[in-house]
C-alpha cells in the first residue's frame, strides 16, 4: 500500500511538471503492474523531484540530457522534452541540451534525440511560431 503523503506529494509534483500527460503513463500500467505505477509516482516524483536542491527546470535539463545519452528511451524522452517546455525551457534550450550530448553520448544518440524533439515541437509549437 502506498504511503499516502509520499504518493500524494509525487502525484502533485508530476502534475506540476507534466499536467495530465504523466497520469496517462501511470494509468497505462494499471492493467499490468499497478504497484510499479505507484513506485513511479512515489520515488522519482515524491522523493527525488520534490527535493529542494534544484528547481524543476534544472531537473528537466538533466533528465533530457540523460535520456538523450541513453539513446534508447525515445518515449520517455518525448515526455520529458514536453515537461522541460512546461517548466520553462525554450525549444532552443532543448535543442542545445540534446546537441551537447553528441560530445558525450555520440552523434547517433543526439540525432535520435533531435528527431524526438522535432516531433514534440510539431505537436506543441512555441508561442508565436
Amino acid at each position: 500500500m502506498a504511503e499516502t503523503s509520499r504518493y500524494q506529494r509525487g502525484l502533485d509534483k508530476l502534475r506540476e511538471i507534466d499536467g495530465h500527460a504523466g497520469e496517462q503513463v501511470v494509468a497505462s500500467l494499471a492493467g499490468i503492474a499497478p504497484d510499479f505505477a505507484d513506485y513511479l509516482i512515489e520515488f522519482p516524483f515524491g522523493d527525488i523531484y520534490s527535493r529542494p536542491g534544484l528547481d524543476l527546470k534544472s531537473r528537466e535539463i538533466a533528465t533530457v540530457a540523460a535520456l538523450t545519452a541513453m539513446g534508447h528511451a525515445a518515449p520517455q524522452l518525448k515526455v520529458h522534452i514536453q515537461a522541460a517546455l512546461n517548466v520553462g525551457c525554450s525549444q532552443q534550450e532543448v535543442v542545445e541540451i540534446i546537441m551537447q550530448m553528441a560530445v558525450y553520448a555520440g552523434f547517433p544518440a543526439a540525432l535520435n534525440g533531435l528527431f524526438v524533439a522535432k516531433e514534440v515541437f510539431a505537436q506543441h509549437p512555441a508561442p508565436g511560431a
Side-chain angles (χ1 to χ4, degrees), residues 16-103:
E16 183 180 351
I17 296 165
D18 284 334
H20 293 288
E23 291 179 35
Q24 293 171 356
V25 173
V26 172
S28 71
L29 292 168
I32 188 168
D35 289 344
F36 190 80
D38 287 348
Y39 301 147
L40 187 63
I41 297 293
E42 293 170 350
F43 178 63
F45 296 99
D47 294 342
I48 302 300
Y49 271 83
S50 296
R51 292 175 55 82
L54 290 173
D55 62 17
L56 291 177
K57 182 176 177 181
S58 297
R59 290 185 188 282
E60 285 304 328
I61 288 169
T63 304
V64 168
L67 291 170
T68 298
M70 288 176 70
H72 57 79
Q76 294 79 17
L77 180 58
K78 184 177 180 179
V79 168
H80 283 281
I81 288 172
Q82 184 58 54
L85 297 171
N86 290 347
V87 298
C89 285
S90 69
Q91 288 184 357
Q92 187 58 42
E93 286 173 316
V94 169
V95 168
E96 291 297 327
I97 293 162
I98 294 170
M99 288 177 59
Q100 179 73 22
M101 293 304 98
V103 177

